[in-house]
Amino acid sequence: QRQMCIRDRSPSTRANAAADDGGPLHPWMPVTFASRSPGSRVFPSAVVHGDSLYVFGGHDGTRALAVAEIFDVRACKWEDAPPMPTARSGPAAASVAAGKVWVLGGYPDGTVASSEARALTVVEAWSDGSCAWSTEASLTRGRTGAGAVVIPGEGQAQAQAA
């Protein structure tokens, strides 16, 4: 049986928990899934968006994956989202404004040990509201194994892969 552990910031623990920069934390707690857990893979991307953990792509040992899965932290339940338009391993992901999650770059096949020249420039966005994928402006060069952050500025959020 697969297990996952989480830490939770909760107002009920504020009085008796040590604080860090983000406030008090529960200790790490094992999660018992109310539904099946996702399949094994390497090189996926994950991001917290709202009250959920989103996991995108990866490699199953044979091929790059287009899967998109959502873990609802409150219900302890995994849900399948529609697959990404582009299968990839080693992408970056960022939670951006307007209910969107961007998935950037990655490799179309193989693992992150593949040639840098084969890294993808594609950026796709998952929308909570429409439960659908759209294509955003491409990266200027292919990236894989990168991190992505949201940089607020000029009234909009931008995801940057480094």
Side-chain angles (χ1 to χ4, degrees):
Q1 181 180 17
R2 295 186 178 103
Q3 261 194 341
M4 178 172 76
C5 293
I6 62 170
R7 286 185 91 173
D8 181 27
R9 297 183 195 283
S10 170
S12 65
T13 62
R14 215 171 286 275
N16 59 6
D20 65 3
D21 292 341
L25 293 173
H26 281 164
W28 286 98
M29 303 174 292
V31 172
T32 303
F33 296 121
S35 63
R36 57 104 183 128
S37 61
S40 295
R41 70 187 104 168
V42 295
F43 308 122
S45 186
V47 65
V48 173
H49 180 70
D51 289 335
S52 298
L53 172 71
Y54 289 68
V55 180
F56 302 106
H59 195 275
D60 67 3
T62 304
R63 67 188 192 292
L65 304 172
V67 296
E69 295 168 309
I70 304 167
F71 180 70
D72 181 326
V73 175
R74 297 194 190 284
C76 288
K77 198 171 176 184
W78 285 100
E79 298 175 27
D80 292 323
M84 296 182 292
T86 307
R88 58 183 110 180
S89 64
S95 174
V96 298
K100 286 189 176 182
V101 175
W102 286 3
V103 181
L104 308 94
Y107 280 120
D109 55 17
T111 65
V112 292
S114 298
S115 164
E116 185 69 25
R118 295 174 39 91
L120 297 168
T121 60
V122 68
V123 177
E124 293 164 339
W126 167 255
S127 171
D128 286 354
S130 65
C131 293
W133 288 96
S134 62
T135 301
E136 301 290 335
S138 294
L139 298 170
T140 55
R141 71 179 181 130
R143 310 220 186 223
T144 189
V149 297
V150 174
I151 302 171
E154 314 223 356
Q156 63 184 13
Q158 299 177 349
Q160 300 287 330

